[in-house]
Amino acid sequence: MMETPWLEECKTQVAKALQQDRVPHAWLITGVRGLGKVEFARFVSAVLLRESLLETGDWTAAGEFADGHPDFEELTPADGKASISVDQVRGLSRSLTLKSHQGQRKVALLYPAEAMTHSAANSLLKTLEEPPGDSVLILVSDHWSKLPATVLSRCQRLLVSKPAPTDALQWLVAQEDGPNWELALRLTQGAPLEALKWHRQGRLELALSLLKDVAKIIRGEISPSQSAPRWEKAGPWSLVCLEAWAQEGIKLKSGVPESELGLNALGLDLQEL
């Protein structure tokens, strides 16, 4: 995994927990999408299975180590499914009760945690209340507030914070040339990895065309039906563009100087809202 300096504080917290022998039975890693939480969770999993990996800081090697380790399991929605089922969670819980292959910890990674059905969350609660042996559960969530309070109360939360805008922009510029990293960060809530993903998948260019469509529709230059094909191509995430537009408009109406509005700088006249 590429260097992600905004995760250093979280790595420090994990190291401190290991040094003080105060590793919780359940960690909940949270933060917005696009900060590298799952990759970080795999790194933590590997470190829990072999603490010496913390000193090397090699994310890629750690991830590969965890993936092939007999005492590590990763639970996600089954192929073609959007939810994590109660049967999946029950299977994981049974696996954690088995003896460790190497006589040390057993680690399970579950994500996205908010994808658990109500029954699955209730089933997991039993394991959280009475964790078997020296097992550690690591939950990853983009929307932790959707989890039941009973699950939240039994996990130690590890928040992955977004980098400062200037730091995020500097990091993106160092990765590769982009048409407009400022816009990408605005559309992805300041998450550098998600912004990079949008650029590489061509989403950024499409997002800009959608935003310009909104301006043209407001000015009466085109009809909604003329821009419909582009919006259909964009799918559900096109709502992100509308949200960005709305947020900028609200800022403008609240007295925020136009110079601080990223979309206005793109020639999208927010005054027409």
Side-chain angles (χ1 to χ4, degrees):
M1 179 180 174
M2 62 189 71
E3 288 298 318
T4 46
W6 56 88
L7 281 166
E8 288 304 313
E9 174 57 30
C10 290
K11 290 173 69 175
T12 299
Q13 292 182 52
V14 171
K16 185 176 180 180
L18 284 166
Q19 291 166 359
Q20 297 178 350
D21 195 24
R22 297 180 63 180
V23 176
H25 283 293
W27 252 313
L28 173 61
I29 301 177
T30 67
V32 301
R33 180 189 298 274
L35 295 176
K37 297 189 301 299
V38 173
E39 291 84 354
F40 176 66
R42 291 195 183 106
F43 174 76
V44 174
S45 300
V47 167
L48 292 173
L49 294 167
R50 181 181 290 177
E51 295 184 14
S52 61
L53 289 171
L54 187 65
E55 300 175 3
T56 66
D58 189 336
W59 293 74
T60 302
E64 293 175 351
F65 173 82
D67 285 341
H69 201 285
D71 292 324
F72 173 74
E73 288 196 50
E74 192 168 305
L75 186 62
T76 62
D79 290 343
K81 303 291 184 180
S83 301
I84 294 175
S85 71
V86 63
D87 288 339
Q88 287 181 284
V89 171
R90 286 172 179 167
L92 176 66
S93 297
R94 285 194 296 269
S95 176
L96 290 176
T97 62
L98 300 177
K99 185 177 179 180
S100 166
H101 286 76
Q102 298 190 355
Q104 298 179 345
R105 290 190 182 97
K106 299 196 73 171
V107 181
L109 169 59
L110 186 154
Y111 70 92
E114 65 271 18
M116 285 188 292
T117 64
H118 180 72
S119 298
N122 284 339
S123 180
L124 183 70
L125 184 59
K126 297 177 182 178
T127 302
L128 293 174
E129 290 173 338
E130 299 179 11
D134 197 20
S135 61
V136 178
L137 273 166
I138 302 177
L139 282 64
V140 179
S141 175
D142 297 334
H143 307 286
W144 63 269
S145 60
K146 294 182 179 180
L147 291 169
T150 48
V151 171
L152 292 173
S153 65
R154 288 165 176 78
C155 298
Q156 181 171 315
R157 188 180 173 200
L158 192 60
L159 173 64
V160 179
S161 300
K162 294 182 291 187
T166 52
D167 293 338
L169 182 59
Q170 183 179 12
W171 183 86
L172 284 167
V173 170
Q175 301 309 309
E176 58 187 74
D177 292 333
N180 195 309
W181 287 129
E182 292 90 344
L183 175 62
L185 285 171
R186 285 178 181 271
L187 294 175
T188 57
Q189 302 181 60
L193 289 175
E194 189 72 359
L196 186 61
K197 178 180 176 181
W198 274 48
H199 166 56
R200 289 177 174 174
Q201 293 182 346
R203 289 185 178 184
L204 191 56
E205 291 76 7
L206 182 56
L208 183 55
S209 70
L210 296 181
L211 290 166
K212 289 183 176 180
D213 277 351
V214 175
K216 291 178 181 179
I217 291 171
I218 291 174
R219 290 195 295 264
E221 296 176 3
I222 62 173
S223 67
S225 61
Q226 288 177 291
S227 63
R230 279 190 291 274
W231 287 84
E232 183 178 9
K233 179 182 178 181
W237 68 267
S238 61
L239 294 175
V240 175
C241 301
L242 285 178
E243 181 183 10
W245 181 282
Q247 288 176 348
E248 297 283 80
I250 291 171
K251 290 178 184 178
L252 181 65
K253 299 298 184 182
S254 301
V256 175
E258 289 189 38
S259 59
E260 297 181 16
L261 300 176
L263 301 187
N264 216 57
L266 295 172
L268 308 177
D269 192 355
L270 292 167
Q271 292 286 2
E272 297 184 23
L273 286 177

